[in-house]
Amino acid sequence: MKFDVLTLFPEMFQVFEHSIIKRAKDKGILNINPINIRDYSGNKHKKVDDYPYGGGPGMVMQAEPIYNVVEALQNQYGYKPFTILMTPRGRKYNQNIARELSSKEHVLLICGHYEGIDERIMPLVDDEISLGDFVLTGGEIAAMAVIDSVSRLVPGVLSCNESYEDESFYNSLLEYPQYTRPEVYKGMKVPEVLLSGHHKLINEWRKYQSLKITYEKRPDLINKTKLSKEELKILDKIKKDLDVNVDK
């Protein structure tokens, strides 16, 4: 899968020269290509911003350099990559969108800065994505989060499907608790069921814990998730168990 990123700070994407993503890049599974928007400025000083029409604070990124990059890429590839603008007004990002994007072969991410980008770039944009209801200094960190979360779903990036299928949000629920050696630490013991070697009981425990943690910490996810009959039974038991504990 290929990611092109339009940014004023391509050096920020050196973060992908480490760990799982770097290994996937070395294998040719991923291609992450930061492109400096300034290189496509028609201004001799590589200026890419100007004062906003109508007045107001700050500067606005110009449309022309963005068009110049996209047109150059389209000429290079023979097609326009699926183009995403990282913007506060976009769809709020989640795991479902990550899965949706992982089916794309080529994604182009545009990172805004200053007071935003000239609205006239919108004919180039196929989708708008927001990382959440908070403000960042630019779109780079949001773009990194998208690249990382989508890349994990690309076949071959992780060692096996289980590495992400049991993770939080994969099935809209939070992940069950994890433990490793030693068996006892500061008086805290690993749950006996995980030491039993009984895979059926372990799976049942993990389903229960996943639903319990989601119900307690993110009940909004429960309301958005279509639970199976088995999961609904487990959830009923969780509610009863929690009521008993409250009564005590």
Side-chain angles (χ1 to χ4, degrees), residues 32-247:
I32 301 171
N33 179 36
I35 299 168
N36 194 333
I37 297 170
R38 295 185 191 279
D39 292 341
Y40 292 82
S41 171
N43 182 278
K44 65 179 181 179
H45 300 296
K46 300 301 180 183
K47 182 177 169 64
V48 296
D49 61 342
D50 212 326
Y51 295 103
Y53 279 120
M59 305 289 278
V60 176
M61 290 176 63
Q62 296 170 313
E64 182 183 33
I66 305 294
Y67 270 91
N68 289 345
V69 182
V70 174
E71 288 170 2
L73 293 176
Q74 191 164 354
N75 289 335
Q76 177 184 343
Y77 300 132
Y79 61 90
K80 185 177 80 67
F82 186 81
T83 302
I84 299 170
L85 176 64
M86 305 306 303
T87 170
R89 70 188 186 190
R91 295 192 288 163
K92 189 179 289 188
Y93 193 63
N94 58 34
Q95 189 68 12
N96 287 334
I97 297 176
R99 278 197 290 267
E100 176 188 321
L101 295 179
S102 70
S103 66
K104 309 286 185 188
E105 293 184 6
H106 194 168
V107 170
L108 171 64
L109 297 152
I110 302 176
C111 303
H113 250 275
Y114 312 125
E115 297 304 313
I117 308 177
D118 190 308
E119 185 70 15
R120 288 168 291 187
I121 70 159
M122 292 312 298
L124 300 174
V125 174
D126 299 307
D127 199 358
E128 298 174 81
I129 286 177
S130 168
L131 205 58
D133 296 337
F134 53 90
V135 180
L136 296 169
T137 55
E140 283 78 12
I141 292 175
M144 290 176 200
V146 169
I147 291 170
D148 188 272
S149 56
V150 171
S151 294
R152 295 172 62 82
L153 303 177
V154 174
V157 171
L158 300 183
S159 58
C160 60
N161 287 344
E162 287 75 19
S163 294
Y164 66 77
E165 287 182 354
D166 287 338
E167 289 179 336
S168 295
F169 304 115
Y170 180 79
N171 60 353
S172 300
L173 300 175
L174 299 179
E175 189 178 6
Y176 49 78
Q178 297 279 14
Y179 298 86
T180 188
R181 291 177 177 83
E183 186 176 324
V184 180
Y185 182 70
K186 291 186 180 293
M188 296 177 284
K189 294 186 65 177
V190 175
E192 288 295 333
V193 65
L194 299 179
L195 308 175
S196 69
H198 196 305
H199 296 300
K200 184 175 183 293
L201 292 180
I202 291 171
N203 287 335
E204 289 174 355
W205 180 86
R206 285 176 169 171
K207 285 180 182 178
Y208 180 96
Q209 293 298 325
S210 174
L211 279 162
K212 180 174 180 287
I213 289 171
T214 307
Y215 178 71
E216 290 181 308
K217 299 183 181 295
R218 289 291 305 275
D220 58 301
L221 294 176
I222 294 282
N223 296 331
K224 294 176 185 176
T225 305
K226 187 174 182 180
L227 300 177
S228 67
K229 289 182 179 179
E230 179 190 4
E231 289 170 331
L232 288 171
K233 288 181 181 177
I234 295 171
L235 185 59
D236 284 340
K237 184 177 187 308
I238 289 167
K239 291 177 180 178
K240 290 175 183 176
D241 290 345
L242 290 174
D243 285 342
V244 169
N245 290 332
V246 169
D247 291 341

